[in-house]
PDB file of all heavy atoms in Angstrom:
ATOM      1  N   ASN P  89     -34.150 -53.121  77.420  1.00 98.00           N
ATOM      2  CA  ASN P  89     -34.199 -53.762  76.102  1.00 98.00           C
ATOM      3  C   ASN P  89     -33.709 -52.828  75.001  1.00 98.00           C
ATOM      4  O   ASN P  89     -34.068 -52.987  73.839  1.00 98.00           O
ATOM      5  CB  ASN P  89     -35.587 -54.336  75.779  1.00 98.00           C
ATOM      6  CG  ASN P  89     -35.502 -55.418  74.698  1.00 98.00           C
ATOM      7  OD1 ASN P  89     -34.404 -55.817  74.302  1.00 98.00           O
ATOM      8  ND2 ASN P  89     -36.652 -55.869  74.213  1.00 98.00           N
ATOM      9  N   PRO P  96     -34.226 -52.996  65.214  1.00 98.00           N
ATOM     10  CA  PRO P  96     -35.235 -53.100  66.283  1.00 98.00           C
ATOM     11  C   PRO P  96     -34.634 -53.297  67.676  1.00 98.00           C
ATOM     12  O   PRO P  96     -35.365 -53.291  68.654  1.00 98.00           O
ATOM     13  CB  PRO P  96     -35.999 -54.365  65.875  1.00 98.00           C
ATOM     14  CG  PRO P  96     -34.948 -55.232  65.231  1.00 98.00           C
ATOM     15  CD  PRO P  96     -34.025 -54.280  64.517  1.00 98.00           C
ATOM     16  N   TRP P  97     -33.330 -53.466  67.769  1.00 98.00           N
ATOM     17  CA  TRP P  97     -32.745 -53.819  69.065  1.00 98.00           C
ATOM     18  C   TRP P  97     -32.419 -52.600  69.924  1.00 98.00           C
ATOM     19  O   TRP P  97     -32.282 -52.713  71.141  1.00 98.00           O
ATOM     20  CB  TRP P  97     -31.462 -54.646  68.878  1.00 98.00           C
ATOM     21  CG  TRP P  97     -31.594 -55.766  67.896  1.00 98.00           C
ATOM     22  CD1 TRP P  97     -30.960 -55.879  66.708  1.00 98.00           C
ATOM     23  CD2 TRP P  97     -32.429 -56.922  68.010  1.00 98.00           C
ATOM     24  NE1 TRP P  97     -31.329 -57.036  66.066  1.00 98.00           N
ATOM     25  CE2 TRP P  97     -32.228 -57.695  66.845  1.00 98.00           C
ATOM     26  CE3 TRP P  97     -33.325 -57.392  68.985  1.00 98.00           C
ATOM     27  CZ2 TRP P  97     -32.888 -58.909  66.622  1.00 98.00           C
ATOM     28  CZ3 TRP P  97     -33.979 -58.590  68.756  1.00 98.00           C
ATOM     29  CH2 TRP P  97     -33.768 -59.330  67.597  1.00 98.00           C
ATOM     30  N   LYS P 102     -36.021 -47.012  69.749  1.00 98.00           N
ATOM     31  CA  LYS P 102     -36.300 -48.065  70.732  1.00 98.00           C
ATOM     32  C   LYS P 102     -36.413 -47.460  72.135  1.00 98.00           C
ATOM     33  O   LYS P 102     -37.296 -47.839  72.918  1.00 98.00           O
ATOM     34  CB  LYS P 102     -35.183 -49.119  70.680  1.00 98.00           C
ATOM     35  CG  LYS P 102     -35.384 -50.328  71.572  1.00 98.00           C
ATOM     36  CD  LYS P 102     -36.577 -51.165  71.116  1.00 98.00           C
ATOM     37  CE  LYS P 102     -36.773 -52.405  71.952  1.00 98.00           C
ATOM     38  NZ  LYS P 102     -36.111 -53.581  71.487  1.00 98.00           N
ATOM     39  N   LEU P 555     -32.297 -59.275  72.962  1.00 98.00           N
ATOM     40  CA  LEU P 555     -32.779 -59.903  74.185  1.00 98.00           C
ATOM     41  C   LEU P 555     -34.011 -60.764  73.881  1.00 98.00           C
ATOM     42  O   LEU P 555     -35.151 -60.317  74.019  1.00 98.00           O
ATOM     43  CB  LEU P 555     -33.122 -58.808  75.203  1.00 98.00           C
ATOM     44  CG  LEU P 555     -33.701 -59.234  76.538  1.00 98.00           C
ATOM     45  CD1 LEU P 555     -32.703 -60.066  77.319  1.00 98.00           C
ATOM     46  CD2 LEU P 555     -34.095 -58.005  77.351  1.00 98.00           C
ATOM     47  N   LEU P 556     -33.770 -61.971  73.426  1.00 98.00           N
ATOM     48  CA  LEU P 556     -34.852 -62.916  73.170  1.00 98.00           C
ATOM     49  C   LEU P 556     -34.758 -63.983  74.253  1.00 98.00           C
ATOM     50  O   LEU P 556     -33.820 -64.781  74.288  1.00 98.00           O
ATOM     51  CB  LEU P 556     -34.703 -63.530  71.779  1.00 98.00           C
ATOM     52  CG  LEU P 556     -34.637 -62.506  70.640  1.00 98.00           C
ATOM     53  CD1 LEU P 556     -34.489 -63.206  69.290  1.00 98.00           C
ATOM     54  CD2 LEU P 556     -35.881 -61.614  70.640  1.00 98.00           C
ATOM     55  N   ILE P 557     -35.741 -63.982  75.133  1.00 98.00           N
ATOM     56  CA  ILE P 557     -35.647 -64.817  76.333  1.00 98.00           C
ATOM     57  C   ILE P 557     -35.464 -66.291  75.973  1.00 98.00           C
ATOM     58  O   ILE P 557     -34.708 -67.011  76.621  1.00 98.00           O
ATOM     59  CB  ILE P 557     -36.906 -64.624  77.217  1.00 98.00           C
ATOM     60  CG1 ILE P 557     -37.008 -63.162  77.674  1.00 98.00           C
ATOM     61  CG2 ILE P 557     -36.890 -65.565  78.412  1.00 98.00           C
ATOM     62  CD1 ILE P 557     -35.884 -62.676  78.548  1.00 98.00           C
TER      63      ILE P 557
HETATM   64  C1  NAG X 602     -36.620 -56.899  73.080  1.00 73.75           C
HETATM   65  O1  NAG X 602     -36.802 -56.266  71.845  1.00 73.75           O
HETATM   66  C2  NAG X 602     -36.867 -57.168  70.744  1.00 73.75           C
HETATM   67  C3  NAG X 602     -36.909 -56.338  69.467  1.00 73.75           C
HETATM   68  O2  NAG X 602     -38.028 -55.518  69.443  1.00 73.75           O
HETATM   69  C4  NAG X 602     -38.066 -58.070  70.908  1.00 73.75           C
HETATM   70  O3  NAG X 602     -38.123 -58.981  69.837  1.00 73.75           O
HETATM   71  C5  NAG X 602     -37.915 -58.817  72.228  1.00 73.75           C
HETATM   72  O4  NAG X 602     -39.046 -59.621  72.443  1.00 73.75           O
HETATM   73  C6  NAG X 602     -37.741 -57.866  73.373  1.00 73.75           C
HETATM   74  N1  NAG X 602     -37.421 -58.619  74.562  1.00 73.75           N
HETATM   75  C7  NAG X 602     -38.146 -58.533  75.682  1.00 73.75           C
HETATM   76  C8  NAG X 602     -37.704 -59.382  76.821  1.00 73.75           C
HETATM   77  O5  NAG X 602     -39.087 -57.789  75.795  1.00 73.75           O
END
Side-chain angles (χ1 to χ4, degrees):
N89 201 7
W97 313 114
K102 184 66 178 269
L555 177 64
L556 304 180
I557 298 297

